[in-house]
């Protein structure tokens, strides 16, 4: 089964961005209905994900923020509806420089809500989310089998067939197994190879890498990992959440990550949003900022950086695992953003602004950690 799954991971996808002008033209010309049903659904948080008052921040502030966010989204949706044929179109309003938002390229902008993005859905993934939200006892049994098989495979490939070196490994192990109860862990890392997850976790002890109750939740591309029933079952039991790249931060994958954070679980995110084969500095996706900001308990944020995984499993044909390759994993310092996030909540900063500010903090940490890791990797014998 592992060979079937690996064969399906041969094409690291790239996120395409739809032009904002073209999206608006689609709306005005015919009121185009999005092909993705997830866009039309109104998200309602699961009970365990709803914020509760605690010593970190008053629950009333979080409730007001959630209501304000939903109200803003609903008003935007109403404003974007095409005009009624019986009413004459209103004249365009003149905007001055003070009211215009800051310029942003199509590549950097998240697609607006309720606008068709042209994202293809090779397989219907709606049935997966209820099973991930409320796993049954049978789900945990099968998941334990899949996680154990994948964990052993990852450890053999990384630790025995190649030459890994992990810096500050104890820091990662301690936060996975001994962090305060109920506090979620969000790890973020660069994404250079299709084998980054689960391959990197082969460095963990067997009691963690083969434990479905301890191992991470991770988002995986719907058009690569969830293309048919067999692959969907495999990745679902492997604690992977299908993310539809290109439809923005208000989708089921991000909502589910927030719910798992509310339960104190470990969530791993590749904020670059794709396999970065060119190794360029990409603007990080804001979904990670939303997960952190809307989590009822502020997570522990742990940045990681690795080098050499794209040599272990190259991103070019024939996509065969290599041996005796150097792999360097550097575990950074946890980001202390508690005061920063609490201040954003206290000032009731709008969620879109808050998630960007949080993501920018992660981007800054990535720059320093990348430079340090590249130096460590070059100096290895």
């Amino acid at each position: 089964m592992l060979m079937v799954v690996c064969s399906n991971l041969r094409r690291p996808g790239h996120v395409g961005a739809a032009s904002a002008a073209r999206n608006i033209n689609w709306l005005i010309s015919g009121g185009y209905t999005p092909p993705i049903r997830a866009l039309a659904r109104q998200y309602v948080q699961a009970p365990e994900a709803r914020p509760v008052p605690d010593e970190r921040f008053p629950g009333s502030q979080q409730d007001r923020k959630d209501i304000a966010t939903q109200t803003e989204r609903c008003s935007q949706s109403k404003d974007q509806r095409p005009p009624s044929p019986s009413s004459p179109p209103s004249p365009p309003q003149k905007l001055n420089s003070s009211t215009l938002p800051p310029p942003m390229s199509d590549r950097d902008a998240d697609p607006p809500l309720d606008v068709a993005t042209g994202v293809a859905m090779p397989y219907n993934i709606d049935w997966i989310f209820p099973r991930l939200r409320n796993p049954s006892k049978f789900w945990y049994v099968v998941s334990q089998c899949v996680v154990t098989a994948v964990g052993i495979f990852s450890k053999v490939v990384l630790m025995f067939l190649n030459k890994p070196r992990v810096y500050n490994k104890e820091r990662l192990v301690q936060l996975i197994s001994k962090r305060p109860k109920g506090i979620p862990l969000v790890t973020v890392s660069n994404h250079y190879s299709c084998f980054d997850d689960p391959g990197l976790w082969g460095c963990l002890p067997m009691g963690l890498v083969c434990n479905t109750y301890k191992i991470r939740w991770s988002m995986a591309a719907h058009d690569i990992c969830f293309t048919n029933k067999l692959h969907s079952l495999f990745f679902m039991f492997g604690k992977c959440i299908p993310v539809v790249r290109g439809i923005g931060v208000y989708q089921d994958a991000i909502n589910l990550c927030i719910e798992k954070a509310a339960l104190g679980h470990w969530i791993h995110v590749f904020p670059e949003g794709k396999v970065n084969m060119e190794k360029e500095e990409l603007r990080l996706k804001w979904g990670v900022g939303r997960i952190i900001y809307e989590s009822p308990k502020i997570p522990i944020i742990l940045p990681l950086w690795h080098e050499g995984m794209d040599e272990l499993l190259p991103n070019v044909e024939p996509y065969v695992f290599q041996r005796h390759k150097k792999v360097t994993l550097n575990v950074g310092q946890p980001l202390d953003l508690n005061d920063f996030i609490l201040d954003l909540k206290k000032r009731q900063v709008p969620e879109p602004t808050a998630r960007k500010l949080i993501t920018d903090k992660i981007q800054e940490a990535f720059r320093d950690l990348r430079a340090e890791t590249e130096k460590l990797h070059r100096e290895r014998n």
Side-chain angles (χ1 to χ4, degrees):
M1 180 178 289
L2 287 173
M3 295 305 297
V4 173
V5 173
C6 291
S7 67
N8 196 48
L9 293 175
R10 293 182 175 180
R11 49 185 187 90
H14 289 263
V15 178
S19 169
R22 185 173 62 214
N23 286 338
I24 295 174
N25 288 335
W26 284 344
L27 276 177
I28 296 175
S29 61
Y32 187 80
T33 302
I36 305 175
R37 286 179 290 175
L39 287 173
R41 289 198 295 265
Q42 182 72 18
Y43 168 56
V44 179
Q45 285 183 314
E48 65 272 13
R50 293 170 185 160
V52 294
D54 65 0
E55 67 278 5
R56 295 171 181 261
F57 57 92
S60 57
Q61 294 181 359
Q62 180 73 20
D63 292 339
R64 289 197 297 270
K65 177 185 72 64
D66 290 342
I67 295 173
T69 301
Q70 296 294 338
T71 304
E72 180 183 358
R73 292 173 57 191
C74 292
S75 62
Q76 289 177 354
S77 176
K78 292 178 181 179
D79 293 340
Q80 291 175 349
R81 291 176 183 172
S84 173
S86 59
S87 60
S90 58
Q93 298 179 351
K94 294 183 179 180
L95 301 176
N96 52 50
S97 58
S98 61
T99 59
L100 287 174
M104 181 178 291
S105 65
D106 291 340
R107 176 183 175 186
D108 289 346
D110 285 328
L113 292 174
D114 300 327
V115 175
T117 60
V119 178
M121 298 292 290
Y123 181 73
N124 181 17
I125 58 176
D126 291 344
W127 61 274
I128 298 174
F129 291 97
R131 289 167 171 78
L132 294 179
R133 277 194 169 91
N134 300 293
S136 63
K137 293 182 179 180
F138 174 78
W139 187 94
Y140 279 110
V141 171
V142 180
S143 177
Q144 182 61 60
C145 296
V146 172
V147 167
T148 300
V150 173
I152 293 174
F153 178 77
S154 301
K155 183 168 284 290
V156 169
V157 172
L158 180 68
M159 304 301 293
F160 297 102
L161 300 183
N162 289 277
K163 297 182 291 183
R165 184 171 297 177
V166 184
Y167 295 88
N168 307 310
K169 175 181 174 180
E170 299 79 10
R171 186 180 298 157
L172 176 61
V173 173
Q174 288 290 324
L175 288 178
I176 294 174
S177 58
K178 297 182 180 180
R179 67 182 180 277
K181 185 177 181 181
I183 300 299
L185 170 65
V186 174
T187 54
V188 290
S189 75
N190 57 315
H191 199 8
Y192 283 175
S193 167
C194 286
F195 193 58
D196 291 345
D197 188 310
L200 289 172
W201 315 130
C203 70
L204 297 174
M206 292 291 290
L208 296 180
V209 72
C210 295
N211 188 337
T212 190
Y213 295 98
K214 295 287 188 179
I215 201 64
R216 88 291 170 266
W217 290 93
S218 180
M219 289 184 286
H222 80 289
D223 58 337
I224 296 177
C225 302
F226 295 85
T227 54
N228 57 50
K229 186 67 174 288
L230 179 62
H231 292 163
S232 297
L233 287 171
F234 180 84
F235 284 99
M236 179 187 71
F237 289 123
K239 298 183 69 175
C240 292
I241 301 172
V243 59
V244 182
R245 297 181 294 186
I247 67 172
V249 300
Y250 299 108
Q251 59 171 296
D252 278 340
I254 306 298
N255 299 337
L256 184 54
C257 285
I258 295 172
E259 294 174 24
K260 296 303 180 183
L263 298 173
H265 293 182
W266 169 25
I267 303 159
H268 182 72
V269 182
F270 293 110
E272 291 170 312
K274 66 175 183 178
V275 175
N276 186 4
M277 294 187 291
E278 295 80 14
K279 299 185 179 181
E280 57 183 333
E281 183 175 347
L282 300 175
R283 192 271 294 167
L284 303 184
K285 302 300 180 183
W286 296 331
V288 64
R290 185 186 168 217
I291 294 170
I292 295 169
Y293 188 65
E294 294 198 359
S295 172
K297 293 283 189 178
I298 298 178
I300 299 172
I301 308 165
L302 185 67
L304 317 171
W305 196 272
H306 59 85
E307 295 287 335
M309 289 297 290
D310 56 318
E311 296 182 8
L312 188 155
L313 181 61
N315 294 315
V316 295
E317 293 182 356
Y319 308 106
V320 176
F321 288 102
Q322 306 297 307
R323 296 189 295 172
H324 311 300
K325 300 296 182 181
K326 291 193 305 181
V327 177
T328 302
L329 173 61
N330 189 12
V331 181
Q333 289 283 353
L335 301 183
D336 186 7
L337 300 183
N338 279 21
D339 293 340
F340 179 72
I341 295 173
L342 288 173
D343 181 63
L344 294 176
K345 293 179 183 291
K346 181 179 180 180
R347 293 188 288 117
Q348 299 184 13
V349 175
E351 184 267 334
T353 302
R355 71 170 186 248
K356 180 185 183 302
L357 293 174
I358 294 171
T359 307
D360 289 344
K361 293 286 186 181
I362 297 174
Q363 186 116 42
E364 294 172 6
F366 264 9
R367 293 192 185 104
D368 296 336
L369 191 59
R370 175 178 185 172
E372 178 184 331
T373 309
E374 288 177 344
K375 180 180 179 182
L376 292 171
H377 190 68
R378 286 193 305 267
E379 293 175 351
R380 286 186 55 186
N381 296 326

